[in-house]
Short mmCIF file of all heavy atoms in Angstrom, two decimals:
data_model
loop_
_atom_site.label_atom_id
_atom_site.label_comp_id
_atom_site.label_asym_id
_atom_site.label_seq_id
_atom_site.Cartn_x
_atom_site.Cartn_y
_atom_site.Cartn_z
N HIS A 36 120.38 67.00 131.15
CA HIS A 36 119.43 67.21 130.05
C HIS A 36 118.09 67.15 130.52
O HIS A 36 117.68 66.14 131.08
CB HIS A 36 119.73 66.28 128.88
CG HIS A 36 118.78 66.50 127.72
ND1 HIS A 36 118.87 67.66 127.03
CD2 HIS A 36 117.90 65.75 127.19
CE1 HIS A 36 117.88 67.54 126.05
NE2 HIS A 36 117.27 66.37 126.11
N ILE A 37 117.32 68.11 130.44
CA ILE A 37 115.91 68.25 130.83
C ILE A 37 115.05 67.72 129.69
O ILE A 37 114.45 68.48 128.83
CB ILE A 37 115.57 69.62 131.32
CG1 ILE A 37 116.54 70.01 132.41
CG2 ILE A 37 114.07 69.64 131.85
CD1 ILE A 37 116.59 71.50 132.71
N SER A 38 114.94 66.43 129.51
CA SER A 38 114.49 65.88 128.31
C SER A 38 112.86 65.75 128.33
O SER A 38 112.25 65.63 129.41
CB SER A 38 114.96 64.40 128.07
OG SER A 38 114.44 63.53 129.07
N GLU A 39 112.24 65.79 127.14
CA GLU A 39 110.88 65.70 127.06
C GLU A 39 110.40 64.27 127.48
O GLU A 39 109.37 64.05 128.07
CB GLU A 39 110.48 65.91 125.63
CG GLU A 39 110.58 67.38 125.27
CD GLU A 39 110.05 67.70 123.86
OE1 GLU A 39 109.16 66.98 123.37
OE2 GLU A 39 110.55 68.69 123.28
N SER A 40 111.28 63.25 127.23
CA SER A 40 110.86 61.88 127.62
C SER A 40 110.81 61.65 129.11
O SER A 40 110.11 60.89 129.61
CB SER A 40 111.79 60.86 127.00
OG SER A 40 113.15 61.06 127.48
N TYR A 41 111.59 62.47 129.81
CA TYR A 41 111.61 62.34 131.34
C TYR A 41 110.67 63.26 131.98
O TYR A 41 110.01 62.93 133.00
CB TYR A 41 113.04 62.52 131.77
CG TYR A 41 113.25 62.09 133.26
CD1 TYR A 41 113.45 60.72 133.55
CD2 TYR A 41 113.29 63.01 134.31
CE1 TYR A 41 113.62 60.35 134.90
CE2 TYR A 41 113.55 62.58 135.60
CZ TYR A 41 113.65 61.17 135.83
OH TYR A 41 113.80 60.81 137.14
N TYR A 42 110.58 64.52 131.54
CA TYR A 42 109.74 65.52 132.18
C TYR A 42 108.50 65.94 131.46
O TYR A 42 107.55 66.54 131.99
CB TYR A 42 110.55 66.80 132.43
CG TYR A 42 111.62 66.61 133.51
CD1 TYR A 42 112.93 66.37 133.18
CD2 TYR A 42 111.31 66.79 134.87
CE1 TYR A 42 113.92 66.19 134.15
CE2 TYR A 42 112.24 66.70 135.75
CZ TYR A 42 113.56 66.38 135.48
OH TYR A 42 114.51 66.23 136.38
N GLY A 43 108.41 65.69 130.18
CA GLY A 43 107.42 66.29 129.35
C GLY A 43 106.23 65.58 128.83
O GLY A 43 105.82 65.75 127.71
N GLU A 44 105.72 64.66 129.66
CA GLU A 44 104.50 63.90 129.22
C GLU A 44 103.35 64.83 128.85
O GLU A 44 102.64 64.58 127.92
CB GLU A 44 104.16 62.93 130.33
CG GLU A 44 102.96 62.04 129.91
CD GLU A 44 102.76 60.97 131.08
OE1 GLU A 44 102.39 61.38 132.16
OE2 GLU A 44 103.01 59.78 130.83
N ARG A 45 103.15 65.83 129.75
CA ARG A 45 102.05 66.80 129.50
C ARG A 45 102.41 68.07 130.30
O ARG A 45 103.28 68.11 131.09
CB ARG A 45 100.73 66.20 129.93
CG ARG A 45 100.59 65.86 131.39
CD ARG A 45 99.33 65.03 131.67
NE ARG A 45 99.26 64.64 133.02
CZ ARG A 45 98.51 65.30 133.99
NH1 ARG A 45 97.76 66.34 133.59
NH2 ARG A 45 98.50 64.85 135.23
N PHE A 46 101.57 69.10 130.00
CA PHE A 46 101.66 70.36 130.75
C PHE A 46 100.46 70.59 131.64
O PHE A 46 99.33 70.24 131.30
CB PHE A 46 101.76 71.55 129.70
CG PHE A 46 102.96 71.44 128.87
CD1 PHE A 46 102.93 70.89 127.53
CD2 PHE A 46 104.21 71.90 129.25
CE1 PHE A 46 103.99 70.87 126.71
CE2 PHE A 46 105.31 71.85 128.52
CZ PHE A 46 105.23 71.30 127.21
N VAL A 47 100.76 71.17 132.82
CA VAL A 47 99.66 71.44 133.80
C VAL A 47 99.87 72.88 134.31
O VAL A 47 101.02 73.43 134.35
CB VAL A 47 99.69 70.45 135.00
CG1 VAL A 47 99.49 68.98 134.41
CG2 VAL A 47 101.01 70.47 135.75
N GLU A 48 98.85 73.42 134.85
CA GLU A 48 98.90 74.74 135.49
C GLU A 48 99.12 74.56 136.98
O GLU A 48 99.17 73.44 137.50
CB GLU A 48 97.56 75.51 135.22
CG GLU A 48 97.31 75.78 133.77
CD GLU A 48 98.36 76.73 133.19
OE1 GLU A 48 98.94 77.58 133.90
OE2 GLU A 48 98.66 76.62 131.95
N LYS A 49 99.29 75.66 137.67
CA LYS A 49 99.77 75.62 139.13
C LYS A 49 98.84 74.78 140.02
O LYS A 49 99.35 74.01 140.85
CB LYS A 49 99.78 77.09 139.62
CG LYS A 49 100.22 77.17 141.08
CD LYS A 49 100.22 78.69 141.51
CE LYS A 49 100.58 78.74 142.91
NZ LYS A 49 100.61 80.10 143.42
N GLU A 50 97.51 74.91 139.86
CA GLU A 50 96.67 74.16 140.78
C GLU A 50 96.84 72.68 140.65
O GLU A 50 96.91 71.94 141.63
CB GLU A 50 95.20 74.56 140.47
CG GLU A 50 94.20 73.95 141.48
CD GLU A 50 92.84 74.41 141.17
OE1 GLU A 50 92.48 75.56 141.44
OE2 GLU A 50 91.99 73.66 140.68
N GLU A 51 96.90 72.20 139.45
CA GLU A 51 97.14 70.72 139.21
C GLU A 51 98.56 70.37 139.65
O GLU A 51 98.73 69.27 140.23
CB GLU A 51 96.94 70.29 137.79
CG GLU A 51 96.98 68.82 137.63
CD GLU A 51 96.61 68.31 136.23
OE1 GLU A 51 96.15 69.14 135.40
OE2 GLU A 51 96.72 67.07 136.02
N ALA A 52 99.53 71.16 139.40
CA ALA A 52 100.89 70.88 139.89
C ALA A 52 100.96 70.71 141.35
O ALA A 52 101.57 69.85 141.89
CB ALA A 52 101.86 71.99 139.40
N GLU A 53 100.22 71.59 142.10
CA GLU A 53 100.19 71.48 143.57
C GLU A 53 99.57 70.08 143.96
O GLU A 53 100.13 69.47 144.93
CB GLU A 53 99.32 72.64 144.18
CG GLU A 53 99.94 73.97 144.07
CD GLU A 53 99.02 75.06 144.51
OE1 GLU A 53 97.84 74.93 144.64
OE2 GLU A 53 99.71 76.16 144.84
N THR A 54 98.51 69.71 143.38
CA THR A 54 97.90 68.40 143.71
C THR A 54 98.88 67.26 143.39
O THR A 54 98.93 66.32 144.26
CB THR A 54 96.59 68.23 142.82
OG1 THR A 54 95.70 69.27 143.22
CG2 THR A 54 95.95 66.89 143.21
N LEU A 55 99.54 67.36 142.33
CA LEU A 55 100.51 66.26 141.95
C LEU A 55 101.61 66.18 142.92
O LEU A 55 102.05 65.14 143.36
CB LEU A 55 101.06 66.49 140.53
CG LEU A 55 100.05 66.29 139.40
CD1 LEU A 55 100.62 66.77 138.01
CD2 LEU A 55 99.56 64.85 139.31
N LEU A 56 102.22 67.37 143.36
CA LEU A 56 103.26 67.43 144.32
C LEU A 56 102.83 66.87 145.63
O LEU A 56 103.53 66.07 146.28
CB LEU A 56 103.75 68.91 144.49
CG LEU A 56 104.52 69.52 143.37
CD1 LEU A 56 104.64 71.00 143.48
CD2 LEU A 56 105.92 68.90 143.30
N LYS A 57 101.63 67.20 146.10
CA LYS A 57 101.12 66.68 147.41
C LYS A 57 100.95 65.18 147.34
O LYS A 57 101.05 64.48 148.39
CB LYS A 57 99.82 67.38 147.77
CG LYS A 57 99.96 68.82 148.04
CD LYS A 57 98.58 69.44 148.27
CE LYS A 57 98.65 70.97 148.47
NZ LYS A 57 97.39 71.52 148.64
N ASN A 58 100.63 64.61 146.19
CA ASN A 58 100.17 63.19 146.09
C ASN A 58 101.35 62.25 145.61
O ASN A 58 101.04 61.09 145.40
CB ASN A 58 98.96 63.05 145.27
CG ASN A 58 97.68 63.67 145.81
OD1 ASN A 58 97.56 63.63 147.06
ND2 ASN A 58 97.01 64.29 145.05
N SER A 59 102.50 62.81 145.48
CA SER A 59 103.62 61.90 145.00
C SER A 59 104.60 61.65 146.12
O SER A 59 104.87 62.52 146.95
CB SER A 59 104.36 62.68 143.87
OG SER A 59 103.48 62.90 142.78
N ALA A 60 105.13 60.45 146.12
CA ALA A 60 106.08 60.04 147.11
C ALA A 60 107.54 60.37 146.78
O ALA A 60 108.34 60.62 147.62
CB ALA A 60 105.95 58.54 147.43
N ILE A 61 107.81 60.34 145.44
CA ILE A 61 109.17 60.62 144.94
C ILE A 61 109.03 61.73 144.02
O ILE A 61 108.24 61.58 143.08
CB ILE A 61 109.84 59.37 144.33
CG1 ILE A 61 109.83 58.17 145.31
CG2 ILE A 61 111.23 59.71 143.80
CD1 ILE A 61 110.13 56.85 144.66
N ILE A 62 109.84 62.82 144.01
CA ILE A 62 109.62 63.91 143.14
C ILE A 62 111.01 64.45 142.72
O ILE A 62 111.91 64.68 143.51
CB ILE A 62 108.92 65.05 143.85
CG1 ILE A 62 107.64 64.59 144.57
CG2 ILE A 62 108.53 66.13 142.82
CD1 ILE A 62 107.01 65.63 145.51
N ASN A 63 111.14 64.53 141.36
CA ASN A 63 112.37 65.13 140.71
C ASN A 63 111.91 66.51 140.26
O ASN A 63 111.01 66.55 139.40
CB ASN A 63 112.87 64.28 139.60
CG ASN A 63 113.32 62.96 140.09
OD1 ASN A 63 114.22 62.84 140.81
ND2 ASN A 63 112.59 61.86 139.68
N LEU A 64 112.50 67.56 140.71
CA LEU A 64 112.12 68.96 140.38
C LEU A 64 113.23 69.69 139.84
O LEU A 64 114.35 69.58 140.27
CB LEU A 64 111.64 69.67 141.58
CG LEU A 64 110.62 69.03 142.52
CD1 LEU A 64 111.21 68.43 143.68
CD2 LEU A 64 109.57 70.05 142.94
N VAL A 65 112.88 70.52 138.73
CA VAL A 65 113.91 71.38 138.12
C VAL A 65 113.28 72.78 137.79
O VAL A 65 112.16 72.79 137.22
CB VAL A 65 114.50 70.81 136.84
CG1 VAL A 65 115.60 71.78 136.27
CG2 VAL A 65 115.12 69.44 137.03
N GLY A 66 113.94 73.88 138.16
CA GLY A 66 113.47 75.20 137.80
C GLY A 66 113.01 76.05 139.00
O GLY A 66 112.54 75.44 140.01
#
Side-chain angles (χ1 to χ4, degrees):
H36 180 63
I37 305 163
S38 70
E39 290 184 26
S40 63
Y41 194 77
Y42 289 95
E44 182 175 68
R45 62 191 178 98
F46 295 99
V47 299
E48 295 298 327
K49 181 180 177 182
E50 185 175 290
E51 186 174 355
E53 289 175 343
T54 300
L55 293 171
L56 287 164
K57 290 175 186 176
N58 295 321
S59 299
I61 304 165
I62 312 167
N63 296 296
L64 309 101
V65 181

